[in-house]
Amino acid sequence: MSLLRVDKICRQFGGLAANTDVSFSLEEGEILGLIGPNGAGKSTLFSIIAGALPPTSGQVWFEGKNITGLDAAACCAAGIGRTFQVVRSFESMTVLENVTVGAYNRAKSTKAAQKLAMETLEWTGLAPQAHRLAVELTPPEKRRLEVTRALATKPRLLLLDEVMTGLTPTEAQAGVELVRAIRQKGITVLMVEHVMEIVMPLVDRAVVLNFGKVLTEGKPTEVIKNPEVIKAYLGDRYAQGH
Ligand SMILES: Nc1ncnc2c1ncn2[C@@H]1O[C@H](COP(=O)(O)OP(=O)(O)OP(=O)(O)O)[C@@H](O)[C@H]1O
């Protein structure tokens, strides 16, 4: 049984079809990349899987249960954690407080939530910043804070929305190592990422969206050679280099 199954998802915004008949599965322990040009419908699909947006039609199955229509809190409780494309830290709170907000989804008391938050910060390497205000963090630290807060909800599936965007190659490499460590802990990862040089060596499989539809899916090495993917997204320059 797949951990996640997205089945014929459609989402309309007025006359605009952001997702049309999107279907794919995600196996336990996989890292799956969701790629495609701007406006292809990636964030919309993330929001539908995470319960932030209902689909117009179609279904989302998680651990064999139909979770279509559950709200974001229920999806989080079910084991789906997410980050946002635009970083949403609580700027006037400390790093520890930010992560404690996530930990409350699992912990029954403030003390237990703070303990879980601190353990998660230690894991992601942000513990030395625990008592700083979120506003004081550098952009890569803020992205790491987002991931830490999502991890503190103890997800089985983590949705990462462009967490490497805007990072230097060294910072992105640290991000890649964090994603690998997350999988090592048994957490399945679905990630949206634009930087192909980062995402392709990292993912087991990639699903390519274009104009809201699945263009193709497969192993990264196959996907980047697909002429339709090159035309729609990668461009000839990337293809020639690989
Ligand atoms: N709340 C909304 N209301 C109206 N249209 C929307 C809304 N959210 C997304 N759209 C439209 O749906 C389409 C898909 O957008 P979406 O953000 O899902 O794409 P994306 O692949 O994540 O793009 P990007 O890579 O730029 O983040 C776009 O045309 C967008 O303008």
Side-chain angles (χ1 to χ4, degrees):
M1 183 185 67
S2 303
L3 182 67
L4 178 80
R5 189 158 62 85
V6 173
D7 191 20
K8 296 195 181 77
I9 288 289
C10 297
R11 173 69 209 200
Q12 293 281 138
F13 290 110
L16 184 128
N19 289 151
T20 305
D21 263 342
V22 176
S23 298
F24 63 86
S25 296
L26 183 52
E27 305 308 316
E28 176 121 48
E30 248 192 324
I31 303 178
L32 181 70
L34 188 60
I35 64 170
N38 290 331
K42 306 177 297 293
S43 294
T44 301
L45 191 60
F46 256 41
S47 294
I48 290 169
I49 295 169
L53 197 66
T56 306
S57 62
Q59 295 173 338
V60 182
W61 293 76
F62 183 64
E63 295 178 316
K65 296 188 202 90
N66 185 349
I67 61 160
T68 322
L70 290 189
D71 65 16
C75 285
C76 181
I80 301 177
R82 78 169 298 186
T83 67
F84 292 88
Q85 191 176 338
V86 179
V87 174
R88 292 191 182 184
S89 38
F90 305 111
E91 302 271 282
S92 61
M93 286 163 63
T94 66
V95 167
L96 178 60
E97 286 164 346
N98 265 276
V99 180
T100 304
V101 172
Y104 271 122
N105 285 283
R106 293 288 163 222
K108 297 211 163 42
S109 66
T110 301
K111 207 173 158 198
Q114 284 170 340
K115 183 167 175 281
L116 173 57
M118 203 59 209
E119 284 165 3
T120 316
L121 283 164
E122 271 157 21
W123 174 30
T124 61
L126 270 184
Q129 321 290 344
H131 300 292
R132 290 178 64 197
L133 293 178
V135 70
E136 295 168 3
L137 298 184
T138 62
E141 286 171 336
K142 279 191 185 169
R143 293 225 175 255
R144 195 162 275 250
L145 173 58
E146 277 270 305
V147 177
T148 312
R149 194 174 48 201
L151 284 171
T153 69
K154 292 204 162 201
R156 281 192 73 192
L157 169 65
L158 182 62
L159 311 179
L160 298 175
D161 200 349
E162 295 193 30
V163 289
M164 315 278 186
T165 300
L167 302 188
T168 65
T170 312
E171 289 159 358
Q173 197 47 46
V176 164
E177 274 150 33
L178 179 59
V179 174
R180 291 210 169 105
I182 289 168
R183 187 246 291 269
Q184 206 70 41
K185 288 237 176 186
I187 299 168
T188 306
V189 177
L190 176 61
M191 60 189 298
V192 168
E193 205 55 66
H194 276 294
V195 191
M196 288 301 106
E197 286 76 3
I198 293 170
V199 77
M200 285 312 190
L202 179 58
V203 301
D204 301 309
R205 218 154 42 90
V207 171
V208 186
L209 284 188
N210 192 30
F211 294 118
K213 295 181 186 164
V214 175
L215 188 62
T216 187
E217 69 168 273
K219 287 195 186 346
T221 45
E222 292 161 6
V223 161
I224 58 169
K225 285 190 205 136
N226 182 313
E228 283 187 273
V229 177
I230 294 168
K231 188 163 164 240
Y233 184 42
L234 297 176
D236 290 335
R237 191 187 56 80
Y238 186 87
Q240 279 157 16
H242 287 75

